[in-house]
Amino acid sequence: MELREPYVAYGKNKFTEDEYLELEDTSEAKHEYYKGEIFAMAGVGHRHNIIFSNLFGDLAFRLKGKKCRPYGSDFRIHIPENTLYTYPDISIVCRDILEDNNSKNSSINPDVIIEILSPSTKTYDRGDKFKLYRDIPLLKEYILVDSESISVEVFRLNLQNHWELVEYKQSSEWVPIQTIGLNFLLEEIYSGTKLV
């Protein structure tokens, strides 16, 4: 998802979490919330949608009946430690969903988050947003899938509890998501994008 300018309503540009949730529950569009500010999330491009469909479809099929479940971009994540409410492109939860105290429609316990990068969000997703995601106590892997070139970056916690990066750039490479014990071929992730 792409972020637009901060949301302003009734001349107000700072909101409580309760005000955000009330607005969000009646809104047709999705918004991200951080430290009192609300940001509208814009639509995504054609290639982004193809990558999402390829990856989410494969995840849903291969995880069917297992303890880990994938969720799409309508699944809201809240990070109480830093106030962020957001909608990752794909979240994977490997236990019962822990709902946020403030909102039954927000989860606080993803194990894996996958973001599909667009030109306008790649700097945010790699930088500030990743810093915010690292406050999620149960998060083990953060995966960035580029929509403009064949490139997947996998950040995962090592045994010393430090984040390590492994990059994949060849269509013949397999990308492991260790948390769920599955591998994904880059050629299949990018199938139909005209990048392979």
Side-chain angles (χ1 to χ4, degrees):
M1 288 288 169
E2 298 183 21
L3 294 178
R4 295 181 183 160
E5 294 300 312
Y7 179 82
V8 178
Y10 310 112
K12 183 174 183 174
N13 54 17
K14 287 285 185 180
F15 299 84
T16 66
E17 288 185 33
D18 288 338
E19 288 172 327
Y20 160 74
L21 291 168
E22 186 176 330
L23 285 166
E24 196 69 355
D25 288 342
T26 59
S27 174
E28 291 183 13
K30 291 185 281 193
H31 300 83
E32 188 169 273
Y33 175 91
Y34 180 62
K35 291 190 174 177
E37 291 189 279
I38 296 174
F39 302 88
M41 301 181 80
V44 296
H46 179 65
R47 203 179 278 156
H48 182 290
N49 279 318
I50 291 171
I51 293 167
F52 171 83
S53 295
N54 291 342
L55 193 48
F56 186 80
D58 202 8
L59 280 164
F61 177 75
R62 294 170 69 188
L63 291 175
K64 188 173 183 178
K66 299 187 178 175
K67 69 174 184 171
C68 296
R69 296 185 60 98
Y71 296 88
S73 60
D74 286 332
F75 188 68
R76 187 170 58 210
I77 298 294
H78 179 218
I79 309 172
E81 291 80 359
N82 59 40
T83 77
L84 181 69
Y85 284 88
T86 191
Y87 298 85
D89 289 313
I90 299 173
S91 305
I92 302 172
V93 180
C94 294
R95 60 187 56 78
D96 289 339
I97 291 175
L98 294 178
E99 294 178 338
D100 179 40
N101 289 336
N102 295 335
S103 168
K104 292 184 177 173
N105 295 321
S106 303
S107 173
I108 60 171
N109 65 322
D111 294 86
V112 179
I113 289 176
I114 301 170
E115 294 283 13
I116 300 167
L117 302 177
S118 64
S120 63
T121 63
K122 63 171 55 179
T123 301
Y124 174 56
D125 287 339
R126 281 194 181 108
D128 290 341
K129 196 167 195 180
F130 183 32
K131 286 179 187 173
L132 296 171
Y133 280 155
R134 290 197 302 257
D135 285 338
I136 300 171
L138 298 173
L139 187 67
K140 298 176 189 71
E141 291 181 90
Y142 180 52
I143 300 167
L144 299 172
V145 182
D146 200 332
S147 65
E148 296 182 293
S149 64
I150 298 174
S151 176
V152 174
E153 301 165 63
V154 179
F155 294 88
R156 67 175 58 94
L157 281 175
N158 63 21
L159 295 174
Q160 290 75 40
N161 221 30
H162 293 233
W163 288 95
E164 290 182 344
L165 167 64
V166 181
E167 297 180 79
Y168 303 88
K169 295 184 180 283
Q170 303 297 320
S171 61
S172 59
E173 288 184 284
W174 290 85
V175 178
I177 303 181
Q178 291 180 355
T179 304
I180 58 175
L182 295 174
N183 299 309
F184 297 84
L185 183 64
L186 258 70
E187 186 175 11
E188 293 177 359
I189 292 172
Y190 286 95
S191 176
T193 63
K194 299 185 178 174
L195 292 172
V196 291

